[in-house]
């Protein structure tokens, strides 16, 4: 598969968090499987994965196009099925997201490239 280098989304959400971002590669903490590529805006811990900040894989990036989260299943590791996060609307911004289970994932600062260098840690 050809590698894709993503660019940061620069919008009101990023601006509200200080106007800077980083790419995160998210892995399962249990089996170390790579899960997704994410854009984290601003400072602070990672509590949610906003759908509009997931770049890859495509089936997760496409969630942002859905009108409702009712049809979305909870996020699990596709290898070991560990629970990663629950779909919720972040009410403050009316923004679809996965509320993350702390301890269920590992995040690594990345370069915004997909597929990642390492499919597993
Ligand atoms: Zn896993």
């Amino acid at each position: 598969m050809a590698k894709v280098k993503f660019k940061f989304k620069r919008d009101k959400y990023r601006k509200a968090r200080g106007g800077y971002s980083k790419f995160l590669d998210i892995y399962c903490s249990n089996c170390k499987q790579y899960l997704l590529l994410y854009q984290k805006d601003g400072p602070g811990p990672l509590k949610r994965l906003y759908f509009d900040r997931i770049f890859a894989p495509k089936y997760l990036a496409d969630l942002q196009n859905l009108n409702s989260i009712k049809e979305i299943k909870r996020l699990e590791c596709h290898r070991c099925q560990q629970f990663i996060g629950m779909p919720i609307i972040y009410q403050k911004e009316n923004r679809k997201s996965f509320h993350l289970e702390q301890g269920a994932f590992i995040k690594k600062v990345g370069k915004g490239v997909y597929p990642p260098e390492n499919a597993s840690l």
Side-chain angles (χ1 to χ4, degrees), residues 59-115:
Y59 77 97
L60 291 177
D62 283 349
L63 293 177
Q64 64 188 299
N65 301 321
L66 296 173
N67 289 321
S68 166
I69 62 165
K70 287 185 183 143
E71 55 200 290
I72 297 174
K73 291 183 205 148
R74 58 195 220 151
L75 182 64
E76 295 180 349
C77 172
H78 55 271
R79 186 200 270 173
C80 76
Q81 280 73 54
Q82 169 156 269
F83 171 63
I84 308 290
M86 190 62 78
I88 59 142
I89 305 276
Y90 180 57
Q91 295 294 348
K92 199 174 158 192
E93 292 174 313
N94 191 28
R95 204 171 168 200
K96 297 188 284 293
S97 69
F98 287 114
H99 182 84
L100 287 167
E101 180 77 3
Q102 293 300 321
F105 63 92
I106 296 167
K107 60 186 201 298
K108 299 269 182 197
V109 176
K111 292 178 179 157
V113 173
Y114 186 88

